[in-house]
């Protein structure tokens, strides 16, 4: 798990920090794309459960992410996450965003395996991955 997970973590960090002025928007976009892809596979309840577990786990490092926030994983509910991230300085929200996504990805890897998780992430984040490379090379993203 270490090499693929490490590569996924690096990719997530790169995408989130690519535009420091858009950290929160980028994070929310990634979550919406991931939710859209996974809801058809594991359902809204499954996605919501993994999302809340990721928030709980990440909240141990970023306590401001947890208190009193009844996060909902439904696409239209990511505004609560947005508000939480916007309440922090860019470096803190960037680190928390990456940590939250990485925690979620790590759980997917444990549940589904590296190969399937990578396929799901490629499918969900295809457009975002293409933006990272010039010329776009989806085959290199999320290796």
């Amino acid at each position: 798990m270490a090499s693929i997970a490490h590569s996924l973590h690096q990719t997530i960090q790169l995408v989130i920090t690519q535009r420091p002025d858009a950290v929160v928007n980028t994070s929310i976009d990634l979550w919406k794309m991931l939710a859209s892809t996974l809801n058809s596979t594991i359902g809204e309840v499954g996605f919501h459960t993994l999302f809340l577990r990721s928030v709980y786990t990440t909240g141990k490092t970023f306590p401001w992410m947890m208190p009193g926030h009844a996060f909902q994983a439904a696409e239209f509910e990511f505004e609560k996450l947005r508000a939480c991230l916007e309440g922090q300085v860019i470096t803190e929200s960037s680190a928390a965003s990456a940590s939250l996504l990485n925690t979620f990805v790590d759980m997917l890897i444990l549940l589904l395996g590296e190969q399937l998780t990578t396929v799901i992430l490629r499918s969900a984040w295809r457009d975002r991955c293409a933006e990272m490379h010039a010329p776009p090379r989806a085959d290199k993203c999320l290796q």
Side-chain angles (χ1 to χ4, degrees), residues 98-138:
S99 180
L100 183 59
L101 280 162
N102 288 334
T103 299
F104 189 91
V105 166
D106 289 347
M107 284 188 218
L108 281 180
I109 289 172
L110 287 173
L111 294 170
L112 306 175
E114 294 174 331
Q115 303 277 359
L116 184 53
T117 298
T118 302
V119 168
I120 289 168
L121 295 178
R122 281 184 182 150
S123 175
W125 295 339
R126 184 177 313 124
D127 295 337
R128 277 291 181 188
C129 292
E131 290 174 13
M132 289 176 47
H133 301 281
R137 295 180 57 181

Side-chain angles (χ1 to χ4, degrees), residues 5 9 15 39-41 54 56 61 76-77 81-82 93 100 107 116-117 123 126 128-129 138:
H9 290 191
V15 172
N39 282 344
S40 64
T41 308
S54 298
Y56 174 79
T61 305
F76 58 90
E77 290 288 339
L81 176 59
R82 175 186 300 282
S93 65
L100 183 59
M107 284 188 218
L116 184 53
T117 298
S123 175
R126 184 177 313 124
R128 277 291 181 188
C129 292

Side-chain angles (χ1 to χ4, degrees), residues 28-55:
I28 299 303
D29 288 348
L30 291 173
W31 278 111
K32 286 180 178 181
M33 289 183 278
L34 189 55
S36 177
T37 300
L38 280 173
N39 282 344
S40 64
T41 308
I42 63 174
E44 271 188 52
V45 173
F47 182 85
H48 185 215
T49 301
L50 289 175
F51 179 78
L52 289 178
R53 182 66 184 160
S54 298
V55 169

